[in-house]
Each structure stands twice: as structure tokens, then as C-alpha cells.
Amino acid sequence: IVNFVGENSDGTFSVEGRKQSYTVKKTDKTVIVYNSEKQTDLSKFVAGNQIFLVGRLNDDGTFDARLIRDFKNLEEGGAIS
């Protein structure tokens, strides 16, 4: 669970963890869910949103995102359909 910071000009986006910031890359396999609905981009997310992020760490210290999901609705029992 990290805080969404915003999209970068190179197609990546930034998140803040407990101790540091990370750069995350979307891939053709990335699933984005907001308010229990599958999305095609990150336009619904704003800086400060808590997100549930599942990804793979790359050798360069960035992550490839597999799942990006808003955390608020996950806490409220939202389900991925």
C-alpha cells in the first residue's frame, strides 16, 4: 500500500512508500481498478490517494505494475470483477 504521487512525462508514475519514493511502469499486463471498475488509465487517481500496488522489481529499481487498485474501496469490501 503506497501513496499515488502522479504521472510522469515518460509514461511512468510515482508512488511514495513508508521510507522512499518509487517509479512504477505500466505494461500491457497491468490491471487498473478504481471504485471496483476496471480502468484503462490512471486518470481517476489523484496525488495522495492510497493505492494497493502489486508489481515486479526491476534491476534498475523501478517496478512493473501488475495491479493498481484504489485502497479506500478495497477497505470497504470492494471486489474486483
Side-chain angles (χ1 to χ4, degrees), residues 13-80:
F13 65 98
S14 298
V15 296
E16 290 181 347
R18 290 183 186 181
K19 297 183 180 181
Q20 67 185 57
S21 296
Y22 301 94
T23 298
V24 183
K25 300 174 183 178
K26 296 176 283 181
T27 71
D28 58 343
K29 295 181 181 179
T30 302
V31 175
I32 302 169
V33 178
Y34 187 87
N35 204 17
S36 298
E37 295 180 13
K38 192 171 179 181
Q39 303 293 313
T40 57
D41 59 31
L42 296 171
S43 63
K44 303 254 183 193
F45 294 88
V46 297
N49 282 153
Q50 282 192 316
I51 61 173
F52 179 77
L53 176 67
V54 176
R56 180 174 181 262
L57 180 62
N58 298 311
D59 291 338
D60 65 0
T62 63
F63 284 88
D64 285 342
R66 303 289 184 180
L67 172 66
I68 304 163
R69 168 137 193 177
D70 57 319
F71 186 69
K72 178 182 174 192
N73 289 304
L74 186 64
E75 286 180 324
E76 295 172 354
I80 298 174

Side-chain angles (χ1 to χ4, degrees), residues 4-15 22-24:
F4 182 78
V5 175
E7 291 189 75
N8 304 317
S9 60
D10 63 359
T12 64
F13 65 98
S14 298
V15 296
Y22 301 94
T23 298
V24 183

